[in-house]
Amino acid sequence: MTNEWMIVSSRGERAVQALSRSGELEWFKLPTAFNATYGYAQVPYMGWRYVFPEEGVAQLIEAAVRALPTQVDWEIDRTRRNWMLVPMRVLREAHGLADPSFRDVVHSINVQDQEFCLKALSDFELIIQHLLQVHISED
């Protein structure tokens, strides 16, 4: 993994650690949980790319996320080069990741639905904790 990006939060460090258990990361992005400028919680989502992505890894992560009792529905979108873990509501309202409205939808939810943001943040922590503990098979 290159040093192009830096992880500054413990949440980000745990997410990288969890994802790295399944392969070497080439790229990673995780927005901050709280917007300090405007004082609100933000919808969590993360994007990543493995140096050598494997179908089995994607299925393992998807199964791990589906197995959890989350408060909101989550999706792992693999339709693009970078994989994304994102609340289903964001994908639905933005009509997918390719739509330019993705950012606007995230901002709108951040500003108008703090209850959803807090539930999703709680879920996100649960997901990362689970990914840190799930068994990774050595093929």
Side-chain angles (χ1 to χ4, degrees):
M1 184 168 69
T2 64
N3 288 331
E4 290 177 23
W5 45 271
M6 300 287 293
I7 306 301
V8 294
S9 72
S10 63
R11 181 174 76 119
E13 290 170 3
R14 287 191 325 277
V16 165
Q17 181 183 3
L19 295 171
S20 294
R21 296 179 70 224
S22 301
E24 182 183 354
L25 289 177
E26 181 176 11
W27 177 84
F28 176 81
K29 179 175 176 142
L30 174 66
T32 59
F34 186 77
N35 185 313
T37 304
Y38 298 105
Y40 54 73
Q42 301 190 120
V43 173
Y45 61 90
M46 72 177 168
W48 71 97
R49 180 174 59 245
Y50 287 108
V51 174
F52 302 107
E54 296 180 21
E55 183 65 27
V57 168
Q59 292 171 344
L60 176 105
I61 294 170
E62 289 169 340
V65 171
R66 274 194 307 270
L68 294 171
T70 56
Q71 299 174 70
V72 302
D73 293 328
W74 290 83
E75 178 74 22
I76 296 178
D77 185 292
R78 297 184 290 133
T79 60
R80 301 168 65 111
R81 182 176 178 205
N82 301 327
W83 296 356
M84 292 271 297
L85 172 67
V86 61
M88 181 68 82
R89 173 182 171 186
V90 175
L91 287 178
R92 188 176 54 249
E93 291 181 17
H95 307 290
L97 294 174
D99 195 294
S101 69
F102 179 83
R103 236 180 246 240
D104 295 337
V105 167
V106 169
H107 177 73
S108 175
I109 294 170
N110 288 345
V111 173
Q112 298 176 12
D113 196 346
Q114 282 293 284
E115 182 179 350
F116 179 85
C117 293
L118 294 172
K119 285 179 181 179
L121 283 166
S122 176
D123 283 355
F124 187 83
E125 292 300 323
L126 179 70
I127 291 167
I128 295 305
Q129 189 61 38
H130 186 62
L131 290 176
L132 283 166
Q133 296 170 352
V134 73
H135 176 70
I136 307 294
S137 64
E138 299 289 333
D139 294 81

